[in-house]
């Protein structure tokens, strides 16, 4: 019994395995990526994440939220970094955490601003970039009427020009990156080429990863998020199927974006993250709720515990698909 994902890089359909077993939950083997002191990968327990809701430039309030999240079980915490003010604040946030005896890794969430990513890399443990808007972010379709090989090559060269300084800095500082694809913010070129689809999400992730690999940088993690759990599950399975084709072993960060609040938000995240954990996929998770960040930890903990029970359970009897 083998599970398959259909991945369509061309008109030819390729069926490729995405799960290690069809009869039991077996963790997908990955390399380990260090985020500060926290190891992310299949040789380690699934790491739990959340994200602050304070103004990042308010270093005291943000440090307070991180401490409360860490006390609730968070292994690492992400902060939004819109500009240089927030980037500089990250230095003070880390100082305040250390003064209080917390080594909790901090992740910077970057959109649109390569220069800000370069600045904040000095202060945080991981930088999240969104391939849809880091260097290729215009969404208006009137800009592209046809997609020639020359346009694709020029666009990819522009991405590399923007990304390589960050790659080199993270390599030097031995820090991590998350290639964080979002279904709702794919670039115009990817939308034109693949449509609003999981295939486009995989292509977008692979473009950034190929640049990282070209420059011998491997401390990165993938995420393939969507507010639709079905799209999110399909995108992660396609990504893993593609990685299996080419022999890559990078870890995965799982999450459903904008899941909401209350029962609805918890169910959406449970369906998306839980399905993939049962496949043996996922090395760090975040249940994204429109609530205080420390309230994300109980469902995070519950999902991890469910995965660990499934992993320890005996296999079911083999069956025919």
């Amino acid at each position: 019994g083998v599970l398959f994902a259909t991945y369509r890089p061309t008109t030819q359909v390729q069926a490729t395995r995405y799960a290690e077993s069809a009869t039991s939950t077996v963790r997908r083997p990955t390399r380990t990526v260090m985020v500060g002191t926290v190891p992310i990968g299949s040789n380690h327990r699934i790491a739990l994440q959340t994200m602050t809701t304070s103004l990042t430039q308010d270093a005291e309030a943000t440090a307070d939220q991180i401490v409360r999240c860490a006390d609730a079980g968070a292994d690492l915490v992400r902060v939004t970094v819109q500009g240089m003010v927030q980037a500089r604040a990250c230095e003070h946030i880390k100082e305040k955490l250390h003064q209080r005896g917390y080594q909790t890794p901090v992740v910077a969430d970057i959109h649109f601003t390569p220069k800000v990513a370069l600045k904040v890399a000095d202060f945080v443990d991981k930088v999240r970039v969104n391939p849809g808007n880091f260097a290729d972010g215009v969404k208006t379709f009137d800009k592209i009427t046809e997609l020639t090989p020359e346009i694709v090559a020029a666009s990819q060269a522009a991405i590399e020009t923007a990304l390589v300084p960050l790659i080199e800095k993270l390599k030097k500082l031995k820090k991590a990156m998350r290639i964080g694809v979002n279904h709702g913010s794919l670039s115009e070129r990817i939308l034109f080429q693949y449509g609003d689809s999981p295939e486009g999400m995989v292509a977008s992730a692979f473009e950034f990863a190929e640049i990282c690999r070209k420059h011998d940088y491997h401390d990165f993690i993938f995420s393939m998020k969507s507010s639709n759990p079905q799209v999110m599950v399909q995108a992660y399975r396609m990504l893993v199927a593609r990685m299996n084709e080419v022999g890559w072993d990078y870890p995965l960060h799982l999450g459903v974006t904008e899941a909401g609040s209350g029962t609805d938000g918890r169910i959406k995240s449970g369906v998306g993250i839980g399905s993939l954990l049962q496949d043996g996929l996922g090395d760090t998770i975040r249940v994204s709720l429109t609530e205080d960040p420390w309230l994300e930890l109980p469902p995070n903990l519950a999902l991890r515990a469910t995965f660990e029970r499934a992993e320890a359970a005996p296999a079911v009897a083999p069956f025919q698909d």
Side-chain angles (χ1 to χ4, degrees):
V2 176
L3 297 184
F4 292 93
T6 301
Y7 174 73
R8 297 181 178 86
T10 65
T11 55
Q12 182 182 4
V13 174
Q14 294 177 327
T16 306
R17 190 181 69 184
Y18 64 78
E20 296 299 306
S21 170
T23 58
S24 60
T25 296
V26 179
R27 187 104 174 252
R28 168 182 167 259
T30 75
R31 69 179 61 221
T32 295
V33 172
M34 294 301 300
V35 181
T37 57
V38 174
I40 308 291
S42 60
N43 290 330
H44 308 280
R45 199 177 192 196
I46 290 171
L48 308 181
Q49 300 197 29
T50 184
M51 186 171 182
T52 58
T53 55
S54 56
L55 294 173
T56 304
Q57 59 264 38
D58 187 342
E60 191 72 44
T62 304
D64 285 346
Q65 285 203 354
I66 293 171
V67 164
R68 187 161 180 182
C69 292
D71 289 346
D75 297 301
L76 52 160
V77 179
R78 183 161 45 117
V79 301
T80 186
V81 179
Q82 302 101 320
M84 287 296 182
V85 171
Q86 291 79 15
R88 286 190 286 268
C90 287
E91 180 178 16
H92 304 299
I93 291 166
K94 291 288 285 188
E95 288 172 354
K96 291 177 184 299
L97 291 174
H98 290 157
Q99 288 166 6
R100 295 168 71 166
Y102 285 78
Q103 303 300 316
T104 306
V106 174
V107 182
D109 198 49
I110 300 290
H111 294 271
F112 303 109
T113 45
K115 288 182 180 178
V116 174
L118 274 177
K119 179 70 174 178
V120 81
D122 286 320
F123 310 126
V124 298
D125 303 284
K126 182 170 73 170
V127 175
R128 180 266 171 135
V129 298
N130 181 345
N133 59 36
F134 186 75
D136 197 16
V138 180
K139 302 296 186 300
T140 52
F141 276 94
D142 58 0
K143 293 279 198 306
I144 292 180
T145 56
E146 64 172 326
L147 203 59
T148 64
E150 291 76 19
I151 290 174
V152 172
S155 183
Q156 290 173 339
I159 293 171
E160 186 164 2
T161 299
L163 189 60
V164 166
L166 179 62
I167 289 171
E168 295 298 345
K169 188 164 194 177
L170 293 175
K171 261 179 72 174
K172 179 182 175 183
L173 297 174
K174 293 181 168 55
K175 293 185 177 181
M177 177 194 295
R178 171 156 65 94
I179 298 173
V181 177
N182 193 315
H183 181 228
S185 59
L186 296 173
S187 73
E188 179 204 5
R189 176 176 55 83
I190 292 290
L191 286 169
F192 193 94
Q193 197 168 355
Y194 295 93
D196 186 9
S197 66
E199 288 91 344
M201 296 171 70
V202 173
S204 184
F206 255 66
E207 281 189 349
F208 270 59
E210 293 279 18
I211 295 168
C212 291
R213 287 172 57 85
K214 178 179 173 181
H215 294 271
D216 196 29
Y217 176 69
H218 300 278
D219 289 327
F220 61 87
I221 295 165
F222 284 113
S223 66
M224 309 289 284
K225 295 191 181 183
S226 172
S227 56
N228 181 330
Q230 287 182 303
V231 172
M232 168 261 197
V233 167
Q234 194 176 7
Y236 277 103
R237 286 174 174 170
M238 282 186 181
L239 176 72
V240 172
R242 182 76 181 111
M243 280 202 280
N244 286 344
E245 285 178 1
V246 296
W248 292 4
D249 63 351
Y250 299 102
L252 299 175
H253 165 129
L254 305 185
V256 177
T257 57
E258 302 161 3
S261 61
T263 304
D264 281 357
R266 286 159 176 81
I267 290 172
K268 280 179 73 175
S269 285
V271 168
I273 296 171
S275 297
L276 292 165
L277 290 176
Q278 293 290 323
D279 291 339
L281 307 180
D283 305 288
T284 178
I285 62 173
R286 179 197 171 197
V287 173
S288 177
L289 301 173
T290 51
E291 300 178 18
D292 289 325
W294 47 88
L295 297 178
E296 295 182 352
L297 272 304
N300 253 333
L301 287 159
L303 280 167
R304 182 171 68 183
T306 301
F307 163 76
E308 290 174 347
R309 286 196 298 272
E311 190 179 33
V316 300
F319 57 89
Q320 291 295 319
D321 291 342

